Amino acid sequence: MKIQTMNALEQEMRAVARGELAPPADAALPSIESAEALLRLLTPDNRSLLRTIRDAKPQSVAELARLTNRAEPNLLRTLGKLETFGLLEMRLVGRRRVPTALVGMLHVEIDPYAMADRVETKPAAE
């Protein structure tokens, strides 16, 4: 996961498209605008949801909804945000979407003097 403002991401993408810059090695990684955005996403409810996904390994969104007592439409919206940040993946198994934890641990390094924050992820144990 890399931290990069939308403006910096756009400039990087345009430079690559023009051939002025080689695609960065981390181009395929999820990009977030700030460490603050990541921390806002990791609410106690969302952490509990991630823990349920990791521990119970639900085989569908419907099963996860039952386990967490959450409405499926709201749950899908939250799962989409967590997937966008690279914290989980929605795998297609037949016709079912199965949420799967991708990250076991996050290490956030915050530079209080510059926007040079970093996020390092440790993969989830299978």
Side-chain angles (χ1 to χ4, degrees), residues 2-120:
K2 65 181 183 176
I3 298 177
Q4 185 175 30
T5 66
M6 291 300 290
N7 188 30
L9 177 61
E10 181 181 356
Q11 288 176 4
E12 179 183 277
M13 290 172 63
R14 289 181 188 275
V16 169
R18 288 190 301 264
E20 299 169 359
L21 184 66
D26 59 1
L29 294 176
S31 183
I32 59 173
E33 193 156 348
S34 68
E36 180 184 2
L38 176 62
L39 295 174
R40 276 195 316 264
L41 180 65
L42 292 174
T43 64
D45 285 344
N46 287 348
R47 288 179 183 205
S48 177
L49 177 63
L50 286 167
R51 184 174 43 255
T52 300
I53 292 167
R54 180 196 65 195
D55 296 346
K57 296 182 180 24
Q59 294 304 300
S60 68
V61 174
E63 181 183 350
L64 181 60
R66 283 191 302 275
L67 289 170
T68 59
N69 295 317
R70 293 175 74 164
E72 268 190 65
N74 297 342
L75 185 58
L76 282 167
R77 190 171 35 255
T78 301
L79 291 172
K81 290 176 187 176
L82 294 169
E83 185 176 31
T84 298
F85 275 74
L87 300 174
L88 63 83
E89 176 181 59
M90 296 298 289
R91 294 187 178 152
L92 207 53
V93 177
R95 294 177 51 197
R96 292 176 288 121
R97 295 175 63 198
V98 179
T100 307
L102 293 178
V103 175
M105 184 67 67
L106 291 170
H107 295 276
V108 180
E109 187 176 294
I110 299 175
D111 181 345
Y113 304 104
M115 291 302 292
D117 302 337
R118 293 177 353 125
V119 175
E120 194 175 304

